[in-house]
């Protein structure tokens, strides 16, 4: 207890010394304001990281670095172009990311916003289990044998909320029977994509963006182009069952693999399942504090 009291007294003395520096006046309101801005900025970055805006954000950082270099070396032409394009760029960003911005504003008005606000990160996002992998593989190849077309998107870190909203809510535990029933011909939910989050089918009949890649074969149908399209704008893995041939294919990061077998599909799902997710910084601090407390308890036993 004496050690703790000594640390608190030293912290208080250092804080008072800092706030009494001539020319620097920091009050309680200033500290609260800094904390609010820091938390807001942190959660804005978290929101950006879970949308398609993350890659754009990294691209903007690179462009800003080029502009900084141009300013250091007095490259007037580049600086003039950057100044003229800045206002246009802001308007373009609002237009391009209108769905994400709308979703963010809806979350602010939602009942769970305050709870989400004080959440220090996404933490350990639920991954799908081995049982879900078995059910997926069983369903895909069962549908392939009878040439039932299917399109299944496995969500990863990038949130697919804008595509989930285009479909019909299902929110059910994923089973092979459920998937087969959804994609059965002439059923209300068979047209479109199914989106899977964790161990649950969250939505069916979802619309996905079609790929404009010129490298894709002209023989590919809409289902395959949609699978490649969503893989280009997210880190999801999409499984396609061809209605014409019954073959199973996968699309990931803009690349498509045709006619894979059950073992290869299982391997791809395992890789997605085991992809490393970094916990938030506050989560790391919390874990270290907890581990430190446990170590201290064991030491005094």
């Amino acid at each position: 207890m004496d050690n703790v009291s000594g640390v608190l007294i030293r912290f208080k003395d250092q804080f008072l010394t800092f706030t009494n520096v001539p020319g620097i006046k920091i009050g309680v309101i200033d500290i609260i304001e800094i904390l609010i801005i820091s938390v807001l900025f942190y959660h804005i970055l978290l929101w950006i990281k879970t949308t398609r805006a993350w890659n754009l954000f990294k691209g903007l950082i690179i462009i800003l670095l080029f502009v900084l270099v141009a300013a250091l070396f007095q490259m007037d032409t580049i600086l003039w172009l950057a100044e003229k394009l800045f206002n246009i760029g802001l308007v373009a960003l609002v237009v391009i990311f209108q769905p994400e911005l709308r979703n963010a504003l809806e979350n602010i008005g939602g009942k769970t916003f305050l709870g989400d606000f004080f959440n220090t990160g996404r933490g350990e996002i639920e991954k799908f289990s081995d049982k879900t992998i078995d059910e997926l593989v069983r369903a895909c190849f069962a549908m392939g044998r009878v040439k039932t077309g299917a399109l299944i998107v496995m969500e990863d870190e990038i949130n697919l909320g804008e595509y989930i909203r285009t479909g019909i809510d299902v929110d059910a535990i994923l089973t092979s029977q459920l998937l087969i029933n959804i994609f059965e011909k002439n059923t209300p939910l068979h047209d479109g994509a199914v989106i899977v989050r964790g161990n649950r089918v969250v939505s069916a009949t979802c619309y996905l963006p079609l790929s404009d890649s010129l490298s894709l074969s002209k023989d590919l149908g809409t289902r395959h182009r949609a699978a490649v399209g969503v893989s280009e704008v997210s880190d999801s893995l999409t499984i396609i069952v061809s209605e014409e041939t019954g073959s199973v294919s996968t699309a990931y990061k803009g690349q498509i693999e045709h006619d894979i077998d059950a073992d290869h599909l299982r391997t791809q799902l395992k890789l997605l399942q085991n992809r490393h997710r970094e916990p938030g910084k506050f989560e790391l601090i919390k874990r270290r504090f907890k581990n430190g407390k446990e170590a201290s308890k064991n030491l005094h036993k």
Side-chain angles (χ1 to χ4, degrees):
M1 290 297 292
D2 293 336
N3 291 336
V4 174
S5 300
V7 170
L8 291 174
I9 292 170
R10 285 198 298 273
F11 176 77
K12 179 182 177 183
D13 293 340
Q14 290 173 358
F15 177 75
L16 291 174
T17 301
F18 176 72
T19 55
N20 289 326
V21 174
I24 299 178
K25 294 182 179 180
I26 299 178
V28 175
I29 298 300
D30 298 313
I31 295 171
I32 294 173
E33 191 175 16
I34 291 169
L35 287 173
I36 291 172
I37 292 172
S38 301
V39 172
L40 280 173
F41 187 70
Y42 173 70
H43 281 274
I44 287 171
L45 286 178
L46 281 181
W47 170 73
I48 290 174
K49 194 172 182 181
T50 59
T51 66
R52 293 181 299 165
W54 181 242
N55 288 332
L56 176 69
F57 180 74
K58 291 188 287 186
L60 288 175
I61 294 296
I62 294 172
I63 292 173
L64 288 175
L65 289 175
F66 276 116
V67 173
L68 179 61
V69 171
L72 290 174
F73 290 96
Q74 297 296 311
M75 299 177 181
D76 295 332
T77 305
I78 294 177
L79 292 175
W80 180 83
L81 285 171
E83 182 182 356
K84 297 300 180 185
L85 292 174
F86 180 74
N87 291 332
I88 300 173
L90 288 178
V91 176
L93 288 178
V94 173
V95 173
I96 293 170
F97 291 99
Q98 183 269 338
E100 284 85 356
L101 292 172
R102 179 178 176 178
N103 185 38
L105 291 173
E106 287 174 352
N107 288 337
I108 290 174
K111 294 180 181 179
T112 60
F113 170 68
L114 287 177
D116 294 338
F117 184 86
F118 291 104
N119 184 13
T120 55
R122 296 184 78 186
E124 293 294 329
I125 303 171
E126 182 190 11
K127 285 285 197 174
F128 47 86
S129 64
D130 291 341
K131 183 178 184 299
T132 296
I133 292 177
D134 292 337
E135 296 289 334
L136 272 166
V137 174
R138 186 180 301 116
C140 289
F141 285 90
M143 288 186 287
R145 283 192 291 271
V146 293
K147 296 185 179 180
T148 298
L151 187 58
I152 305 167
V153 184
M154 306 297 296
E155 184 187 66
D156 197 35
E157 288 188 348
I158 295 178
N159 190 289
L160 300 177
E162 67 175 289
Y163 305 117
I164 290 172
R165 288 194 297 273
T166 65
I168 297 173
D169 292 339
V170 177
D171 193 25
I173 295 291
L174 188 152
T175 63
S176 58
Q177 293 89 344
L178 175 63
L179 289 176
I180 291 169
N181 284 334
I182 287 175
F183 288 110
E184 185 66 33
K185 295 180 179 69
N186 301 321
T187 58
L189 301 180
H190 85 283
D191 192 22
V194 156
I195 296 181
V196 177
R197 176 181 291 162
N199 293 311
R200 304 185 74 84
V201 175
V202 292
S203 189
T205 71
C206 300
Y207 294 103
L208 303 179
L210 298 180
S211 174
D212 294 325
S213 175
L214 298 177
S215 62
L216 292 177
S217 170
K218 301 296 183 183
D219 296 330
L220 291 181
T222 304
R223 187 176 282 116
H224 289 79
R225 287 191 172 275
V228 176
V230 73
S231 74
E232 290 172 340
V233 298
S234 71
D235 55 357
S236 60
L237 173 71
T238 305
I239 307 168
I240 316 105
V241 181
S242 172
E243 192 172 359
E244 289 76 24
T245 65
S247 63
V248 177
S249 307
T250 56
Y252 183 67
K253 290 189 175 180
Q255 302 297 319
I256 189 166
E257 288 190 62
H258 294 285
D259 199 14
I260 62 174
D261 58 23
D263 290 336
H264 189 67
L265 177 58
R266 193 183 304 276
T267 299
Q268 287 187 304
L269 290 169
K270 280 284 188 182
L271 289 173
L272 189 69
Q273 180 193 45
N274 296 321
R275 271 194 62 189
H276 177 63
R277 294 182 186 272
E278 294 183 1
K281 290 183 179 179
F282 289 108
E283 185 69 21
L284 285 173
I285 293 171
K286 184 178 175 182
R287 287 183 186 178
R288 288 172 184 169
F289 181 71
K290 183 179 178 181
N291 292 337
K293 285 179 67 178
E294 290 177 354
S296 178
K297 286 180 182 178
N298 294 332
L299 187 64
H300 288 89
K301 280 183 179 180

